[in-house]
């Protein structure tokens, strides 16, 4: 155990301790009298002394000391009762600390660093022990308080767990604490007087991997867009990495891939996630992947035990897994033995008498008169009790009727004898469960094709019939012998022997039935009598986009096979695909499903083919068949890593392995069916149904290895593609009883010279021998790792496509646009983190066009406006942001896209003065300004708006400026250009003009030229008020019905002339804004722009260059603070309301 470092003098202790190991900074010592065979006098005395001491005062026989070179003071940092225990501590110090200490120049720094690290390890050990004893230990509450104080997140940011570790900054480690919360990875360190805080959102992580550096053998590396950060010196690095892996996976899928994430409902609500939930999820994922069970299956217990295996005549050690509807077993030795027992197959679960030879046994009996004996089960009573409760529930949900006629046929060959899954009998597809006679009639309706298509469209092969049948009969005989010894139902013992039989190729007469067993689709089939028939009836005749896609692909599905050259096969394929699309609209129909389904229909009956398709799409190839085929891309990425590991020379030659992606994607999506002759590809499907995706990985590696020499000598990607296509097209199956059926997607079949033929059995055997060492657990870990990369790749693609569209339309620099996009996306994400209800589902839809995938609402826009807009107006900023949002929200769905946001900013930063004024003008007329605008009801009463001010102003130097000619000319010029504008803007009313003026006043606040600007805007406001009043009087008298700008083009005196002529007069009504005429008071954009152009200070203000980069830097720093302060303010307001 680790000890709190306390200084000791070693001089007087040398007689009591013997040094076993030493290094520059650490010494491992053994207590004299311990571990000595003969024993000298000193050792005996010390041993006797330790023996007579009270047990609490005894000294541990081994210890490790910290020694600083040149110092006589030492500090014990660890002790152990055994040599193995102390060696574990020594190894940890060597791996994590020894190489690190050389970077410190000061000896005191070395001692301080090591002592701080050891204290942190002690604290973590203590918290781990407490966490095991109680649900929420005091230590965790202390950590939570520190986490909240240090990072100031809203309450919704739940802390999941925390660890002591070091974060590397260059070559220097910073000792501190790593906090893992539901949305962020945070690190805090206060070391040698320096504070360090890191906050990394999980959605920003692009790589999460275990690696090593110059100083440490094992670290966790976090890679974001711009930085790599290494964390090390964990007490238990494996545990930390698994928790981080789970958190990253859950968060990224929840926020970036919500297309299918609802299949894992337990973790949909982030505030409920705990460390135990994440560990349970990891176990669940492994359990479902290992036994290929439905995603809804929830693992309840994992128990060490032994199973009686009659074929080996002994008990095999392993683990029992119990879930909602299954009891499963896997031996400790990989491939030795595995069984899957659906509870609906189980008849009874009984405890047997406990003996010394059979400790804690239970017997599980199934319907086919077979019993499984498990022994060495700890806590047997509670386990059996829980299993019986679930067994009763399963039988209540799916009542089973036992078919006694089966017993008489047990001796008949292969499948015709046995009830494969209780009430499903292969051979006549008889359903004998609790079905009504009407349902039975519906099940036997002539609508569905009664047999596998291969039996109806059997072709004779090129070999002699006797040769074909003899090979097929040999295989059937081998399988029949296997069934006798290992079982013939879904509950059979699955061993290495059955894997070898599968690799040889399943006999055609047994193929469909064994596919049902290996995938456990047979359980779904028996549990849902009449389900498929009902789906077919419901979906028949319905026309939608999915059915149109299905119709387009029907005749592209194995067109070379006679079964799909007539309406029988096409109709069956149509029914299965349409029924599945009706069952699972989230997947609907995806290309390549037609090829897979057509092969399933060849070897299985129509309803069986449907359930096989369900098993493939929903459990065996998760996330493959959706809008973005994420699952296939993840496995492709895993495949690339496997190539680098197993075929490094090929990987080195093909620097960009994405070239292989164009070929290998179809390997995964169609299980080689589209690029290999059918009679060979079905053997691959055999292996897939038995071993899952592992079979496709290893076969892909075998194909590349067989062509590695040619691929390494290829000159370009095109030549590499040709090499692989030719090879795959010439894979034959000598054992196939049918004639060769070419791949309808094969390339280069018209070879000028004979090409070497490869037998599929040899290729599969090589794949198992050379690349069969990948375990399910390793593949699942690789999937976690590469799912992050694939999802972030999609995010990068979205970003680049959005920027490619936006860049030509704005003047903002591309690098600044990238920063703006990141801020825009982060604003959306922060709302997903902490706001209720969570807007993720409604606002991030990967199936939408790139530009529409991320959108923000009014409140999020207001935050960004405050952070990056150059038009900050103090307290008025929020009101201006609301108006800007309403202006940009063209379709009034309360959401805006990035393009609209950036276009608005581009005008503010880079627009010409007239563009900026036009934008400001539009912000103060409908739809941006509404009747219910919260600021528009308070009229602006300011003496600067008096219309009695003269139009000739004196300057400080004594000169005078007359605006009459200048303004008139500008209005004429603008009026001439009016026809060029796309759309004439409505005129501004007096109420709107008041708001316009208020915004301008707010914008000038705290500007260096504030006084000049106020003076200038006062002048301009006066001009515009008088122009509006002239128009108002002209309109009311009927003397003028045209715009003021248009009148200037006439030869008669214009209203503007009268304005300039009567500058000293005030309106008849002494009020500045006569209420009875307010509706008629208007000014146009041209009037406002021309008036503003008369003041150079205003022109300078709107045309001065603006620095966006500094705004962006500040925004990146303050974006989180702004959001968290708003959230805390909201929570305080809610608290006050609740206390009222």
């Amino acid at each position: 155990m680790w000890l709190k470092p306390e200084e000791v003098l070693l001089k007087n202790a040398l007689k009591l301790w013997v040094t076993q190991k030493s290094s520059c900074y650490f010494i491992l010592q053994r207590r004299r009298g311990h571990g000595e065979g003969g024993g000298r006098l000193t050792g005996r005395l010390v041993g006797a002394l330790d023996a007579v001491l009270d047990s609490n005062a005894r000294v541990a026989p081994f210890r490790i000391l910290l020694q600083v070179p040149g110092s006589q003071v030492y500090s014990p940092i660890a002790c152990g009762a055994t040599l193995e225990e102390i060696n574990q501590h020594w190894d940890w110090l060597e791996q994590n600390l020894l190489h690190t200490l050389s970077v410190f120049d000061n000896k005191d720094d070395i001692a301080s660093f090591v002592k701080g690290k050891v204290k942190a390890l002690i604290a973590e050990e203590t918290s781990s022990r407490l966490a095991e004893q109680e649900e929420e230990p005091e230590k965790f509450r202390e950590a939570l308080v520190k986490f909240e104080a240090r990072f100031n997140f809203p309450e919704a940011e739940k802390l999941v767990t925390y660890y002591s570790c070091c974060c590397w900054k260059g070559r220097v480690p910073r000792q501190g604490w790593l906090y893992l919360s539901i949305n962020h990875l945070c690190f805090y360190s206060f070391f040698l007087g320096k504070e360090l805080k890191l906050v990394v959102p999980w959605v920003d992580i692009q790589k999460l991997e275990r690696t090593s550096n110059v100083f440490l053998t094992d670290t966790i590396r976090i890679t974001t867009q711009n930085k790599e950060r290494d964390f090390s010196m964990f007490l238990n690095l494996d545990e930390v990495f698994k928790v981080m892996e789970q958190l990253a996976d859950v968060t990224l899928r929840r926020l970036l891939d919500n297309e299918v994430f609802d299949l894992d409902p337990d973790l949909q609500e982030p505030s409920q996630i705990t460390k135990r939930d994440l560990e349970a999820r990891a176990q669940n994922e492994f359990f479902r992947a290992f036994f290929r069970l439905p995603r809804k299956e929830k693992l309840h217990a994992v128990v060490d035990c032994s199973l009686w295996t009659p074929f080996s005549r002994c008990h095999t050690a392993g683990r029992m897994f119990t879930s909602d509807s299954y009891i499963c077993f896997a031996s400790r030795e990989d491939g030795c033995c595995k069984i899957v027992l659906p509870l609906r197959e189980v008849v009874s679960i009984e405890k047997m008498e406990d003996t010394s030879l059979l400790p804690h046994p239970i017997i599980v009996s199934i319907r086919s008169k077979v019993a499984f004996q498990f022994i060495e089960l700890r806590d047997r009573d509670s386990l059996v009790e829980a299993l019986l409760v679930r067994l009763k529930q399963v039988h209540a949900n799916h009542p089973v009727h036992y078919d006694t006629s089966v017993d008489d046929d047990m001796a008949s060959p292969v499948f015709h004898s046995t009830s494969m899954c209780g009430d499903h009998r292969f051979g006549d597809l008889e359903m004998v469960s609790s079905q009504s006679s009407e349902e039975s009639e519906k099940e036997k309706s002539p609508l569905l094709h009664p047999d596998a298509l291969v039996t109806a469209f059997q072709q004779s092969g090129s070999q002699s019939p006797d040769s074909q049948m003899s090979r097929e009969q040999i295989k059937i005989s081998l399988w029949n012998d296997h069934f006798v010894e290992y079982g013939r139902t879904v509950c059979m013992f699955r061993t290495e022997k059955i894997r070898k039989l599968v690799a040889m190729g399943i006999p055609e007469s047994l193929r469909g039935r064994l596919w049902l067993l290996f995938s456990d689709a047979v359980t779904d089939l028996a549990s849902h009598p009449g389900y498929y028939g009902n789906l077919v009836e419901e979906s028949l005749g319905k026309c939608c986009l999915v059915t149109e896609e299905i119709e387009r692909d029907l005749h592209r599905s194995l067109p070379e096979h006679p079964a799909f050259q007539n309406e029988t096969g096409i109709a069956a394929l149509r029914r299965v695909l349409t029924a599945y699309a009706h069952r699972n609209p989230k997947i609907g129909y995806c290309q390549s499903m037609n090829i897979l389904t057509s092969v399933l229909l060849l070897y299985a009956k129509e309803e069986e083919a449907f359930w096989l398709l369900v098993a493939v799409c929903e459990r065996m190839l998760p996330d493959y068949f959706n809008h973005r085929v994420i699952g296939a891309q993840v496995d492709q990425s895993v495949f690339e890593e496997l190539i680098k590991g197993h075929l490094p020379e090929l990987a080195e030659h093909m620097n960009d392995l994405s070239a292989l992606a164009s070929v290998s994607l179809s390997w995964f999506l169609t299980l080689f069916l589209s690029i290999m002759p059918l009679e060979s590809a079905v053997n691959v499907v055999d292996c897939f149904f038995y071993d899952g995706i592992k079979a496709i990985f290893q076969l892909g590696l075998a194909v590349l290895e067989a062509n590695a020499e040619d691929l390494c000598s290829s000159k370009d990607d095109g030549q590499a593609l040709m090499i692989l296509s030719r090879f795959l097209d010439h894979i034959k199956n000598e054992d196939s009883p049918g004639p060769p059926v070419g791949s309808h997607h094969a390339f280069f079949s018209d070879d000028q010279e004979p090409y070497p033929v490869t037998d599929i059995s040899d290729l599969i055997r090589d794949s198992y021998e050379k690349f069969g060492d990948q375990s399910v657990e390793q593949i699942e870990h690789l999937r976690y790792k590469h799912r992050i990369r694939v999802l972030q790749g999609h995010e990068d693609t979205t970003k680049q496509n959005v920027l490619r569209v936006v860049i030509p339309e704005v003047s903002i620099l591309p690098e600044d646009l990238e920063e703006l996009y990141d801020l825009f996306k982060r604003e959306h994400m922060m709302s997903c983190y902490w706001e209720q209800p969570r807007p993720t589902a409604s606002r991030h839809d990967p199936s939408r066009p790139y530009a529409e995938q991320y959108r923000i609402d009014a409140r999020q826009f207001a935050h960004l406006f405050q952070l990056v807009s150059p038009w900050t107006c103090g307290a008025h900023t929020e009101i201006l942001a609301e108006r800007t949002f309403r202006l940009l929200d063209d379709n009034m769905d309360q959401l805006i896209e990035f393009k609209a946001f950036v276009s608005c900013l581009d005008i503010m930063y880079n627009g010409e003065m007239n563009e900026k004024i036009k934008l400001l003008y539009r912000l103060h007329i409908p739809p941006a300004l509404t009747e219910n605008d919260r600021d528009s009801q308070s009229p602006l009463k300011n003496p600067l708006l008096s219309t009695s001010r003269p139009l000739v102003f004196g300057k400080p130097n004594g000169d005078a400026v007359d605006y009459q000619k200048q303004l008139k000319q500008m209005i004429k010029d603008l009026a001439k250009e009016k026809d060029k504008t796309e759309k004439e803007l409505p005129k501004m009313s007096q109420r709107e003009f008041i708001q316009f003026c208020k915004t301008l006043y707010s914008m000038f606040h705290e500007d260096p030229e504030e006084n000049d600007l106020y003076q200038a805007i006062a002048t301009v406001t006066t001009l515009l008020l008088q122009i509006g009043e002239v128009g108002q009087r002209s309109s009311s008298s009927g003397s003028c019905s045209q715009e003021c700008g248009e009148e200037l083009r006439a030869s008669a005196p214009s209203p503007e002339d009268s304005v300039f002529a009567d500058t000293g007069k005030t309106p008849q009504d002494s009020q500045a804004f006569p209420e009875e005429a307010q509706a008629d008071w208007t000014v146009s954009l041209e009037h406002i722009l021309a008036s503003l152009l008369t003041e150079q200070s205003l022109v300078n203000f709107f045309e001065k260059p603006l620095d966006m980069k500094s705004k962006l830097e500040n925004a990146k720093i303050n974006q989180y603070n702004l959001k968290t302060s708003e959230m805390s303010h909201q929570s305080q307001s809610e608290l006050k309301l609740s206390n009222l």
Side-chain angles (χ1 to χ4, degrees), residues 1029-1085:
E1029 287 173 3
V1030 169
Q1032 173 189 348
R1033 290 199 298 270
S1034 301
S1035 176
S1036 59
S1037 64
S1039 62
C1040 176
S1041 60
Q1042 295 180 330
E1043 292 184 22
C1044 299
E1046 292 173 346
E1047 293 184 0
L1048 284 172
R1049 287 184 290 211
S1051 57
S1054 68
E1056 278 79 2
D1057 292 326
S1058 61
V1059 170
F1060 299 125
D1062 300 330
T1063 54
K1065 297 181 180 179
T1066 60
Q1068 275 188 332
D1069 192 337
S1070 60
Q1071 296 182 7
F1073 313 116
E1075 294 181 6
E1076 65 275 7
Q1078 276 185 8
D1080 298 325
W1081 188 101
T1082 57
V1083 289
S1084 66
L1085 172 63

Side-chain angles (χ1 to χ4, degrees), residues 663-664 666-667 672 674-678 680-681 684 699-700 702-704 707 720-732 742-743 745-747 755-756 758 760 763:
V663 186
S664 62
S666 61
W667 299 0
F672 285 91
S674 65
I675 40 83
M676 194 183 285
L678 179 62
S680 303
V684 178
L699 187 69
V703 168
L704 294 179
N707 294 275
L721 172 64
M722 183 179 71
I723 290 167
L724 288 173
S725 299
R726 285 166 60 94
F727 176 82
L728 290 165
D729 198 36
H730 287 81
I731 295 176
K732 303 301 179 186
S743 165
H745 286 274
F747 298 91
Y755 189 86
T758 304
I760 185 64
L763 188 64

Side-chain angles (χ1 to χ4, degrees), residues 721-792:
L721 172 64
M722 183 179 71
I723 290 167
L724 288 173
S725 299
R726 285 166 60 94
F727 176 82
L728 290 165
D729 198 36
H730 287 81
I731 295 176
K732 303 301 179 186
N733 186 357
E734 298 296 334
D735 296 340
S736 174
V741 179
S743 165
H744 64 289
H745 286 274
F747 298 91
F748 315 110
S749 56
D750 54 344
D751 299 313
Q752 298 299 319
E753 58 184 39
Y755 189 86
V757 172
T758 304
D759 189 80
I760 185 64
S761 298
D762 296 337
L763 188 64
I764 289 175
R765 185 179 61 252
D766 286 348
S767 75
Y768 275 103
E769 289 175 357
K770 296 177 181 178
F771 308 109
D773 57 346
Q774 294 296 324
S775 68
V776 172
E777 191 169 14
Q778 288 171 322
I779 290 173
E780 287 303 302
H781 278 301
L782 287 172
R783 279 176 162 175
Y784 285 134
K785 173 183 175 180
H786 288 278
R787 188 179 288 113
I788 295 174
R789 192 187 74 79
V790 169
L791 288 175
Q792 293 292 14

